[in-house]
Amino acid sequence: MSRYDPRGRVNRALLVGVSEYDHTAPDPQGVNGQLPAVLRNRTALENALNRGHVFGTGEVRALASPTPDDFTGALHRACEEARGLLLLYFAGHAVTSTSGNELHLQMRTARVLTGNGLPGSVSFSEVLGELVESKAEQVVVILDCCYAGNAAGVWHRFDDPKRKKHKILLLMSVQPNRCILGGDADVATPFTRETVRVLDEGGEVWLSKLYDTVKQRMAAAKYKAEDNDPQRPQALAPPWDPDADVLLAAGPITSWPDPKPSWFRRVVIAARKAAQRLGRTALSVLLALVATGAGGYGVLVLTGDSGPCEPPLELRVLTDPDLEPAMRAAADAYLASAANTTDEGCRRSGITPYSAGAAHVVTALGERSDPWQQPRDDVNPQRDIGPQPDVWIPATRADVGRAEEAQVERVFARLEPDAEPFAYSPVVLAVPKDLGAGLPPTGRSLKELVSAFKQADPKAEVRRPDPEFSDAALLATAGLYGDGADVRGAEQLVDGAGRPESSAVRLLCTLPEDDAADGRSAVLVPEFLLRSGVGCHSVTRAERTAVYPDDVPGLEPTFVRVRWEGGDKDEQARDDEVDRFRDWLTGEDGRKVLGEHGFRSATGARGLLGGKADDHGLEPSVPPADPADATQLDRTLELYGNAHGPGRVLYLLDSSGSMAGLWDGPSGGPGILKQTLKGLGRGDEYGVWAVHGLNGRTHTELLDFGTHSRARAEQALKTGKGGAEVRDAEADPGAALLDALAFMRERGASDERPQLIVYLGDGEDDERLSGDRLREVEERARASGVPVVMVTLNSGGCDRDRPGTRVAEAAQGRCLDAGDDLVPALRDEVARIGTGEE
């Protein structure tokens, strides 16, 4: 392994903090207790990594008190997405097996049964199994839990025939067979607290430095594990070779003197006393003087949490995924501002920004405020979204109306929105500069702009984040759907197989992984992201030009105070700090930060709050579309859910005699179809027709149309007697396609579920798909709204004016032949319709 700098790569950090457990003592099956300090761990480490400039925006994900399925699912996604560095952090309860050979990480539902059963836990061996198969080049695991040191033994015993485990480095909070103390709610646990301090020191922080420094500081502070044992961090395996290390942070360099010298302490104490006598003006001067002489540390001592300062009140700010980077920057600026500093030089409040899917937040605040306070096994917003927010900043004020409309039963969260939004950003179609010629910057509907863009280049694609997570995507989808009369047709304008990215930030992060896809894809995103960009890559993205549809409302972030039933013990103090943050955010200082991130004024001509439009290829002023309508957004979500619910796929497999040489093996007709089944789930309906015969019935069923297990479907496609067989007959593809279009039209008449027809053949019978018959199939396909994928196993089947090409274009589908990367392409088309693995 060589010295590893992950900057510029696709990195992921998954921070798992289990602070809340469903089963705790005195329940005989419960874990030892709740871990409120772990909530501090998670937020502190998340903030440190985001400030460290190794992980970019959107690359650090925090997972609060997950179930085992939530954890393993998130871990699998991180392993699939990471290409550079993958960092996994776990804090929570953990236990070992009776023999001590296995470490079990206990998730929210953990219980301990008689006989050493451990439901609700995930073994560290299972975690290693995921990590070694990850696509990441380097993996760092940080464990802050009881028995963390036992992970090294699990690593050594892990069966690794492919010799992949050596890319995994471990940093552990305590030596083997030791428990650590759980801490309290006010501060992070010692190991994570010291880790965050080292990461925040600035400059380059390599894993070896982090380990050595944390170990020294914990020894000097004499931190204790349970039974009064010293708590000594461990690593696998120190010391590192100077040429074999991993960079974890590279923040701005600060000069941090040793806080112990008596002269410095005397200066700080004198400064505080002077500040108390002379007030804020003198304090500002003193801060500048102390910062000059002490490299900024004096500012932290005077304004931070150390010394006589009480722990500041913590405000929780929940926002939309696309807004989180800007809100985090605003929070960081506010925390260091004079507005958040007392006359004694202490912080008034801390702020924890976090985000969750917009539709899920609306549902939780509207229908589920009760289980947010009292979580249930089936409904737990604390787990799925995060802690109860003091402030909610949705991307559109219409979300407030949607949530309030849903508050029909007992309401435990009262929403108090500001009368007006504090910023604005239009939703734009961001088009690669090489493909954007001829598109007017404004004055047309989104559907017209998308259609014109795709017609200008047959390879052009349009990408959109998930409307269930991102309000920007939901607003764009409402524009695509219009009156909702042709949802299926609107969805066919949007490309991309499988589940879309959860936010515009994530979409802009992942597209550059494929230069070709990046260069041909227009994206539906908030305009401000084209200005501020996203920090998950340092690589060059395709340059894009903003096109402004006139029928899509823009983002209008709005400040909403959230009051919780029973949350009035510190209501006045919390109100004061919320008001102070609101005044700063909506005032000159906040507008400056928002301007740096590309936002516009919420009123008037919607001019940029900072910078010049010409410098960034943007329009100087943007006439806003009509405000978002809550009812329309709810309806759009319903239509989107229907259009992306369980799908229907009908396969037509040419089984005529000419297919004999293209039948067996994974590259034969049945084998190709079998490889696409992973895109289909148990809720999807699908069937397979064997196409053969010229008179009367032109096909027979290999697999009846309905829902199926994977095993049953694969058995139907097994070649040989009793399965998929080549017939001593010719085929009539035109007649079979007409039958298939009629069949699917009947099944899709009452809903908007996605549908697809796949025809796979060798092109030998194309003479029967010509002339009037071809025109008839084209007309029927064009009117059906059902996409058709025409697959030809020989070359040239998708040349211009070939029958397969014409049918696919008429049906807004796709034509594939032997010149394409056929199996992955067809699998992607099926995955867009189905709900399976892809």
Side-chain angles (χ1 to χ4, degrees), residues 748-782:
S750 60
D751 58 45
E752 295 292 340
R753 285 173 56 182
Q755 300 192 103
L756 180 71
I757 294 171
V758 176
Y759 185 96
L760 186 149
D762 60 359
E764 291 295 323
D765 298 297
D766 277 359
E767 71 273 8
R768 297 186 184 89
L769 188 56
S770 59
D772 291 342
R773 174 51 64 87
L774 176 57
R775 284 188 287 274
E776 181 184 6
V777 173
E778 286 181 291
E779 291 172 4
R780 192 80 61 81
R782 192 175 291 111

Side-chain angles (χ1 to χ4, degrees), residues 77-94:
R77 287 192 295 275
C79 289
E80 286 292 302
E81 294 169 358
R83 298 296 187 274
L85 171 63
L86 172 58
L87 186 150
L88 171 64
Y89 168 87
F90 174 82
H93 285 302

Side-chain angles (χ1 to χ4, degrees), residues 19-101:
S19 56
E20 297 174 354
Y21 285 85
D22 293 348
H23 309 284
T24 59
D27 181 340
Q29 297 181 356
V31 299
N32 287 340
Q34 307 292 5
L35 296 173
V38 169
L39 177 60
R40 299 282 186 175
N41 288 13
R42 179 171 52 81
T43 56
L45 184 57
E46 181 181 13
N47 291 338
L49 292 177
N50 279 314
R51 288 190 292 263
H53 300 294
V54 167
F55 296 94
T57 302
E59 291 192 333
V60 179
R61 182 187 180 193
L63 201 59
S65 301
T67 65
D69 285 347
D70 293 334
F71 167 70
T72 55
L75 177 62
H76 178 69
R77 287 192 295 275
C79 289
E80 286 292 302
E81 294 169 358
R83 298 296 187 274
L85 171 63
L86 172 58
L87 186 150
L88 171 64
Y89 168 87
F90 174 82
H93 285 302
V95 295
T96 61
S97 60
T98 304
S99 64
N101 289 339

Side-chain angles (χ1 to χ4, degrees), residues 350-373:
I351 296 182
T352 302
Y354 60 107
S355 66
H360 300 172
V361 172
V362 169
T363 300
L365 288 171
E367 302 174 13
R368 298 176 177 175
S369 57
D370 184 2
W372 209 328
Q373 289 197 308

